């Protein structure tokens, strides 16, 4: 019997609705292909010999869990630990493990295994099991310990016979150091099986190589240089970016050696046009920075000067009897850093300061990049200071006032001149559903799924 008129229209509409529902409904299966510049040679999150890449942190989160997690606001919540408690004085903590969690090799996650993992990463801590709990004792008050346990290096891992096994949602199928990582979803993951079957990661790929793969349909996710975000979006690609979360700064290897040296550093800081660096070099891919931590995290960034004051820079320069011509170093593999260096040299010369670019490792001052490694402001500042070779002043507590005071002391050391806070960005295929990244650039892949290919 043939359908005609209104019945045919109703039937057609119903088919369209069912088809749309099928496309929009999450389902299991598929391989997510990702390309990145980073080329880690170790899958051990406790390996301190590797650069602190954002991409490495994201890979570790697929294979490993921490006892505690941080939400979008930086508030600690349960992960491998279902709950915890602290004794008065904040030096002795108890963490109670959730039941049913296992390592990739099938072994159960026990208090002994967790304690052994944490002792390896933190040799100065006293960590041991007590019944069903893991006890951590510190030499001094550690009120922020839950947030500290969310750092990648505190991921829980079992190391035996040269092999490492994690508790994360994906297990390693293939590992070619620095080149390829193939991960498979775990059916026995304590927080539920991911939708994706596998994740195929190609490493050590330039932006150009990634773009070619993406255009040819050989990758669903690729990195984007901050300065390319607007162009890539204008080309019709879906772009997802983080908040500004990577610091670009000038770093001196030692404290000022004389009052004149300190004055010259001040003149240099005042001469730099950070707004131009952001709008021209980064194409608004970041924000001018007068602080180590971005303003979206602390709310006090406006209290620190980030705008150029060439008149004052020249005045300060004029008060220095004799200035030194500095060499400015940068990573030769970072083309953006080269352009930033060229701009800074021009700014310095406008203020009457001598400066020349070098790729040598013993430069008087260097351009460095340090990623924001935690959504907890206190932990993030400590990690940034360590990455810059600075000693973080002790914080009596985690109040904004104490955080502000600690950052102010770091900047007053004149060892570091903040330049920019830069976003992390990715182009994502339309076939990837529910993709999103956190403020700090962390991947959120628990609910990511792939739309079925059209016939």
């Amino acid at each position: 019997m043939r359908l005609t008129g209104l019945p045919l229209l109703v039937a057609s509409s119903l088919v369209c609705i069912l088809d749309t529902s099928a496309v929009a409904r999450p389902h299991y299966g598929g391989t997510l292909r990702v390309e990145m510049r980073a080329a880690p040679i170790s899958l051990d999150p406790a390996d301190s010999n590797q650069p602190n890449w954002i991409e490495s942190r994201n890979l570790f989160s697929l294979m490993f869990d921490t006892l505690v997690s941080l939400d979008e606001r930086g508030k600690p919540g349960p992960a491998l630990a279902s709950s915890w408690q602290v004794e008065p004085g904040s030096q002795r903590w108890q963490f109670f493990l959730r039941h049913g969690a296992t390592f990739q090799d099938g072994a159960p996650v026990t208090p002994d295994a967790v304690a052994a993992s944490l002792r390896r990463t933190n040799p100065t801590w006293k960590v041991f099991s007590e019944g069903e709990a893991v006890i951590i004792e510190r030499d001094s008050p550690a009120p922020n310990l839950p947030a500290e346990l969310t750092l990648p290096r505190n991921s829980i891992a079992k190391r035996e016979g040269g092999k490492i096994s994690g508790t994360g949602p994906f297990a390693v199928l293939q590992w070619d150091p620095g080149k390829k990582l193939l991960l498979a979803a775990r059916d026995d993951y304590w927080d539920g099986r991911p939708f994706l079957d596998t994740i195929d990661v190609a490493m050590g790929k330039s932006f150009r190589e990634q773009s070619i793969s993406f255009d040819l349909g050989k990758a669903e996710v690729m990195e984007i240089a901050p300065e390319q975000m607007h162009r890539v979006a204008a080309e019709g690609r879906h772009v997802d970016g983080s908040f500004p979360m990577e610091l670009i700064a000038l770093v001196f290897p030692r404290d000022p050696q004389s009052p004149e040296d300190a004055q010259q550093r001040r003149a240099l800081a005042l001469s730099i046009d950070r707004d131009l660096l952001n709008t021209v070099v980064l194409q608004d891919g970041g924000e001018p920075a007068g602080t180590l931590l971005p303003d979206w995290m602390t709310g006090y960034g406006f209290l620190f000067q980030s705008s150029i004051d060439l008149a004052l820079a020249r005045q300060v320069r004029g008060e220095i009897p004799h200035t030194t011509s500095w060499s400015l170093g940068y990573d030769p593999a970072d083309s953006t850093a080269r352009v930033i260096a060229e701009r800074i040299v021009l700014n310095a010369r406008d203020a009457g300061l001598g400066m020349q670019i070098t790729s040598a490792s013993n430069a008087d001052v260097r351009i460095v990049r340090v990623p924001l490694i935690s959504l907890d402001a206190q932990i993030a500042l400590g990690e940034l200071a360590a990455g810059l070779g600075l000693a973080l002043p002790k914080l009596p507590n985690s109040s904004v006032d104490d955080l502000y005071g600690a950052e102010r002391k770091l900047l007053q050391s004149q060892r570091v001149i903040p330049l920019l806070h830069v976003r992390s960005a990715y182009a994502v295929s339309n076939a990837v559903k529910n993709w999103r990244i956190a403020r700090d650039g962390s991947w959120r892949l628990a609910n990511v799924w792939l739309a079925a290919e059209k016939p």
Side-chain angles (χ1 to χ4, degrees):
M1 180 173 65
R2 294 175 58 195
L3 293 175
T4 59
L6 182 61
L8 178 59
L9 177 61
V10 171
S12 300
S13 300
L14 181 60
V15 169
C16 291
I17 292 172
L18 291 175
D19 181 67
T20 301
S21 175
V23 171
R25 185 170 58 247
H27 63 269
Y28 292 92
T31 297
L32 179 68
R33 297 167 297 179
V34 180
E35 297 203 353
M36 61 174 55
R37 289 175 300 159
I41 58 175
S42 170
L43 294 183
D44 190 340
D47 186 351
S48 60
N49 293 320
Q50 294 194 94
N52 189 17
W53 287 309
I54 297 169
E55 294 79 11
S56 295
R57 178 188 65 190
N58 284 330
L59 292 182
F60 293 148
S61 71
L62 300 174
M63 299 173 283
F64 303 93
D65 292 310
T66 50
L67 287 180
V68 184
S69 62
L70 290 181
D71 64 16
E72 290 283 341
R73 297 171 297 170
K75 182 180 179 180
L80 277 181
S82 58
S83 63
W84 54 87
Q85 62 186 31
V86 59
E87 294 185 3
S90 301
Q91 289 184 242
R92 191 176 194 270
W93 290 77
Q94 282 184 298
F95 293 86
F96 302 95
L97 303 184
R98 67 174 62 252
H99 297 288
T102 60
F103 289 99
Q104 175 185 337
D105 61 6
V109 177
T110 64
D112 284 339
V114 171
S117 179
L118 291 176
R119 282 196 301 268
R120 178 187 179 94
T121 312
N122 307 282
T124 62
W125 297 4
K126 185 177 181 181
V127 189
F128 56 94
S129 62
E130 189 176 272
E132 296 298 314
V134 176
I135 310 299
I136 301 178
E137 294 181 353
R138 301 286 292 271
D139 293 334
S140 58
N144 216 24
L145 181 62
E148 191 173 352
L149 289 173
T150 66
L151 293 175
R153 63 171 176 267
N154 288 323
S155 299
I156 304 305
K158 184 162 67 73
R159 301 168 177 86
E160 289 183 352
K163 296 183 178 180
I164 186 169
S165 182
T167 68
F170 290 87
V172 178
L173 281 185
Q174 181 183 347
W175 167 235
D176 188 357
K179 297 180 180 179
K180 179 183 176 67
L181 175 64
L182 183 62
L183 301 171
R186 291 182 56 191
D187 293 326
D188 60 347
Y189 183 52
W190 60 266
D191 200 26
R193 185 196 190 280
F195 285 110
L196 298 169
D197 278 345
T198 54
I199 300 177
D200 190 350
V201 184
M203 298 175 289
K205 301 293 185 179
S206 66
F207 286 131
R208 182 175 182 277
E209 290 173 319
Q210 293 182 52
S211 182
I212 292 173
S213 294
F214 192 89
D215 290 340
L216 292 177
K218 295 181 179 180
E220 285 78 39
V221 179
M222 60 168 277
E223 287 180 86
I224 302 174
E227 61 270 22
Q228 298 297 325
M229 288 178 61
H230 294 299
R231 181 186 64 78
V232 173
E235 292 174 351
R237 297 172 178 171
H238 173 67
V239 175
D240 191 15
S242 70
F243 281 36
M245 41 64 62
E246 183 180 41
L247 173 69
I248 300 181
L250 294 179
V251 178
F252 293 86
R254 56 186 179 273
D255 293 336
Q257 302 300 291
S258 65
E260 290 78 13
D261 188 13
Q263 283 290 82
Q264 188 168 334
R265 295 185 189 193
R266 183 186 175 212
L268 175 62
L270 290 167
S271 73
I272 298 173
D273 193 340
R274 296 168 179 81
D275 290 305
L276 188 68
L277 290 177
N278 181 52
T279 57
V280 175
V281 179
L282 291 186
Q283 296 293 300
D284 285 324
E287 293 178 352
T291 56
L292 301 179
L293 294 179
D295 185 69
W296 63 262
M297 173 173 279
T298 66
Y300 58 63
F302 70 95
L303 296 174
F304 293 82
Q305 182 171 353
S306 63
S307 58
I308 183 175
D309 191 336
L310 188 57
L312 183 56
R314 288 171 174 168
Q315 177 183 327
V316 173
R317 162 63 185 88
E319 296 171 355
I320 307 172
H322 303 286
T323 60
T324 302
S325 180
W326 285 329
S327 57
L328 174 59
Y330 69 99
D331 181 358
D334 188 343
S335 58
T336 301
R338 169 76 190 196
V339 179
I340 291 175
E342 291 171 348
R343 290 280 180 176
I344 290 175
V345 167
L346 292 176
N347 289 160
R349 289 175 181 170
D350 287 340
L353 300 172
M355 182 171 280
Q356 61 277 339
I357 298 174
T358 180
S359 58
S361 59
N362 61 342
D364 297 311
V365 57
R366 296 191 64 82
I367 296 176
V368 301
R369 291 177 178 258
V370 185
L372 189 72
I373 201 170
S374 176
L375 283 169
D376 180 278
Q378 182 176 338
I379 298 299
L381 183 60
E383 294 298 310
L384 279 176
L388 295 170
L390 306 175
L392 178 67
K394 288 188 176 181
L395 296 169
N397 54 60
S398 57
S399 71
V400 175
D401 288 342
D402 288 329
L403 190 71
Y404 168 83
E407 181 159 5
R408 187 176 182 84
K409 286 183 180 179
L410 286 172
L411 294 174
Q412 286 175 340
S413 73
Q414 295 189 296
R415 286 280 307 280
V416 56
I417 300 176
L419 300 174
L420 299 159
H421 288 120
V422 185
R423 293 180 177 87
S424 175
Y426 300 87
V428 183
S429 166
N430 291 330
V432 181
K433 306 301 179 182
N434 285 342
W435 168 276
R436 72 183 187 89
I437 59 177
R439 292 180 174 188
D440 65 343
S442 299
W443 294 345
R444 296 289 191 259
L445 300 188
N447 296 315
V448 166
W449 57 281
L450 294 175
E453 294 184 3
K454 295 182 180 180

